[in-house]
Amino acid sequence: MKCPTCNVSLVMTERSGIEIDYCPDCRGVWLDRGELDKIIERSSQTQAPSTRQPEYPPKQHYKSDKDYPYKKKKGIWDDLFDF
């Protein structure tokens, strides 16, 4: 199958039991019927609600925005699309 955007052959890979087609050039991701439903179902299973309030460390104040260390949150999308 060809990528609709750049007309390059798509590469098929399997992540967590879900087949994903992606374009190696434009990095577009294409899902077949039912694959998005599987991704949504798995993400809702991993994000079970917690009954207990989490304990947070005391807030740290920074002098400027440059001093603040940025951390990217990881989720199910990072596991699925780690090419």
Side-chain angles (χ1 to χ4, degrees), residues 2 10 16 20 23 26 30 44 47 59 62 64 69 72 82:
K2 300 276 187 183
L10 296 176
S16 302
I20 297 169
C23 177
C26 71
W30 308 96
S44 65
Q47 297 175 356
K59 286 188 176 182
Y62 298 97
S64 70
K72 185 177 177 183
D82 184 27

Side-chain angles (χ1 to χ4, degrees), residues 11-22 27 29 31 35 38-39 42 76-83:
V11 177
M12 189 183 327
T13 185
E14 186 174 323
R15 300 286 181 174
S16 302
I18 301 171
E19 285 186 359
I20 297 169
D21 301 317
Y22 72 94
R27 303 198 37 95
V29 177
L31 301 173
E35 290 174 346
K38 289 179 186 178
I39 292 171
R42 291 198 181 163
I76 190 167
W77 295 106
D78 292 320
D79 294 336
L80 290 173
F81 301 118
D82 184 27
F83 302 130

Side-chain angles (χ1 to χ4, degrees), residues 15-69:
R15 300 286 181 174
S16 302
I18 301 171
E19 285 186 359
I20 297 169
D21 301 317
Y22 72 94
C23 177
D25 284 356
C26 71
R27 303 198 37 95
V29 177
W30 308 96
L31 301 173
D32 294 331
R33 182 183 300 251
E35 290 174 346
L36 181 60
D37 294 331
K38 289 179 186 178
I39 292 171
I40 292 171
E41 181 181 314
R42 291 198 181 163
S43 69
S44 65
Q45 290 174 355
T46 60
Q47 297 175 356
S50 177
T51 57
R52 192 177 86 134
Q53 287 286 61
E55 294 183 25
Y56 296 106
K59 286 188 176 182
Q60 184 175 4
H61 298 283
Y62 298 97
K63 293 180 182 177
S64 70
D65 289 339
K66 293 179 182 177
D67 297 332
Y68 182 75

